[in-house]
Amino acid sequence: MLTTELCRQLGVSLPIWNAGMGGGLAGPELAAAVSEAGGLGTLGTGGLPEAVVRKEVRRAHELTDKPIAANIILPLNEEDDPGINACLEEGVSVLVLFFGSVAPYVDRAHAAGTKVVAHVGSVEEARSAADAGADAIMIQGIEAGGHVRGVDPLLVALPAVVDAVGPVPVIASGGIADGRGLASALVLGAQAVSMGTRFLASNESRSAYKDRVVKARATDTWHTTLFDVEWPNASHRVLRNTLVEEWELAGSPESGKRPHEGEVLGRMPIGGVDGDVVDVPAYSIFMPMEGFEGDLDRSCLYAGQSCELVDEVLPAADLVATIASEAEAALERALGTTRSG
C-alpha cells in the first residue's frame, strides 16, 4: 500500500526518510538503520569537512548495501564543492541539496549516477528546481525544526507544490512525526516524507538533547534567526532555553551585543565521538551532539513543532516499522469511511 513510484525509482520499499540533520547529527548508524528498515537513510553531511564526509559515507556503506542519501547545506558548502564531490565519488544514491539552487550540480550528479533532490520552501523555488532538472522536490513546511526555508504550513505548501511541478515526485518535510502524518502527506500527493525531529529522538541519532525533545511541546519551539554564528540571517526553529530568555531580558539586542557573545559554551567532536573536537561558541548554528561537554541550556537545540508527537526515544528501525503500520491503518480507515459513506 505504501510503496510509491519514487520508492521504486530509488530501490526502497517505504516512503520514509530521516532528515539529513547537518553537522553529522544524522550519522551512518542512523542512515543505515533507516535504509535497512526499508526507508531511505540520509546522512547529515552539511557543514562537515571533506574527509569527514567521505568517512561518514563509507561507514554507512559498510553498515548497509541499501541506498543511502546525503544532505548538503549549500550556504555552508565550501568553494569547489569538496563535500558534494566526496558524496558523488563515494557513491551516494541521492543528493539532497538545501537552501540554494541545484542547477550547478544536476549534470555532475547524474553523470555519477546520483539522483538530485531539491529541498525548497516555496512553489517558486520548486518550479525553478524542477526546470533545472531535479529528480524530485522536497517541500518544507514552516513547522520544521532546524534551518527553515519554508514559509507556509505544510498542509498548504505540499499540495501547491505537487500541482506546480507534477509529474516530478514531491517529498513532504516539516511537522510529520507519525504514520498519520505520512498518510496525510501521501493523500496530498507526496511520494515520501522526510522526518527530522522524530528521528532526532532515536537511539542512533547523535543528538545530545533527545530527552528535551521528548519533553517538549509544540509551543516550546521558536522560529528565529538568533543562532547565527557561522551562518547569519538564516531562519531556524529551536527549543526555547536559557540563552533565549537572557537575550530577550537584555532587550533582544542585535548580533555583536548579545549576552555571552563570543564566549565558548562547550566543546564536542565532529563526525562521531572519535572525531576532531571543536569549540561551540554562543549562538553557534551547531547543535550539541554526542560527546558534547558544556552548557546545553545555552546551546542551539533544533526541534520542529512535531516534538508534540514525540514521547520516547526508540530504535530507528522500530520507528520506521511503526510509522509504516500507522500509515497503512490510517489509509485503511479513510478508505473505509469513504466507502461506507
Side-chain angles (χ1 to χ4, degrees), residues 123 127 156-168 170 188-189:
V123 167
R127 286 197 181 107
V156 174
L158 173 57
V161 168
V162 169
D163 290 346
V165 302
V168 177
V170 176
L188 291 173

Side-chain angles (χ1 to χ4, degrees), residues 308-335:
E308 183 86 26
L309 304 174
V310 176
D311 55 12
E312 61 181 325
V313 177
L314 292 168
D318 290 356
L319 289 174
V320 172
T322 298
I323 291 165
S325 177
E326 290 173 346
E328 289 180 341
L331 291 170
E332 287 171 357
R333 285 196 302 271
L335 288 171

Side-chain angles (χ1 to χ4, degrees), residues 119 138-144 154 171-176 192-195:
H119 193 179
M138 184 183 294
I139 177 62
Q140 184 188 50
I142 199 169
E143 306 95 327
L154 187 65
I171 302 103
S173 168
I176 300 172
V193 298
S194 177
M195 305 184 196

Side-chain angles (χ1 to χ4, degrees), residues 30-236:
L30 174 56
V34 171
S35 289
E36 281 290 304
L40 182 66
T42 308
L43 293 166
T45 52
L48 295 179
E50 177 187 0
V52 179
V53 173
R54 291 187 186 277
K55 177 184 172 185
E56 297 278 275
V57 178
R58 289 172 183 173
R59 177 58 178 158
H61 286 319
E62 290 174 358
L63 294 171
T64 182
D65 59 1
K66 304 290 177 58
I68 288 288
N71 179 55
I72 293 288
I73 302 170
L74 290 173
L76 303 182
N77 193 38
E78 299 177 31
E79 191 174 353
D80 299 327
D81 307 322
I84 290 176
N85 293 338
C87 288
L88 298 180
E89 290 166 8
E90 297 298 334
V92 300
S93 298
V94 177
L95 190 64
V96 182
L97 300 177
F98 184 40
F99 242 95
S101 173
V102 303
Y105 310 104
V106 170
D107 289 345
R108 195 191 322 171
H110 288 170
T114 298
K115 293 188 181 297
V116 175
V117 173
H119 193 179
V120 304
S122 67
V123 167
E124 292 74 22
E125 289 182 354
R127 286 197 181 107
S128 178
D131 290 343
D135 297 287
I137 306 297
M138 184 183 294
I139 177 62
Q140 184 188 50
I142 199 169
E143 306 95 327
H147 281 90
V148 181
R149 190 72 166 177
V151 294
D152 294 318
L154 187 65
L155 194 64
V156 174
L158 173 57
V161 168
V162 169
D163 290 346
V165 302
V168 177
V170 176
I171 302 103
S173 168
I176 300 172
D178 61 17
R180 294 168 298 177
L182 169 57
S184 299
L186 294 175
V187 170
L188 291 173
Q191 294 200 29
V193 298
S194 177
M195 305 184 196
T197 302
R198 175 59 275 189
F199 283 103
L200 183 153
S202 67
N203 288 2
E204 295 85 353
S205 156
R206 288 173 173 158
S207 170
Y209 59 98
K210 301 174 190 181
D211 59 327
R212 298 187 181 220
V213 172
V214 168
K215 294 174 183 176
R217 308 295 298 271
T219 50
D220 296 323
T221 71
W222 184 47
H223 188 261
T224 181
T225 58
L226 182 65
F227 293 90
D228 61 358
V229 175
E230 295 100 11
W231 188 5
N233 303 314
S235 297
H236 45 271

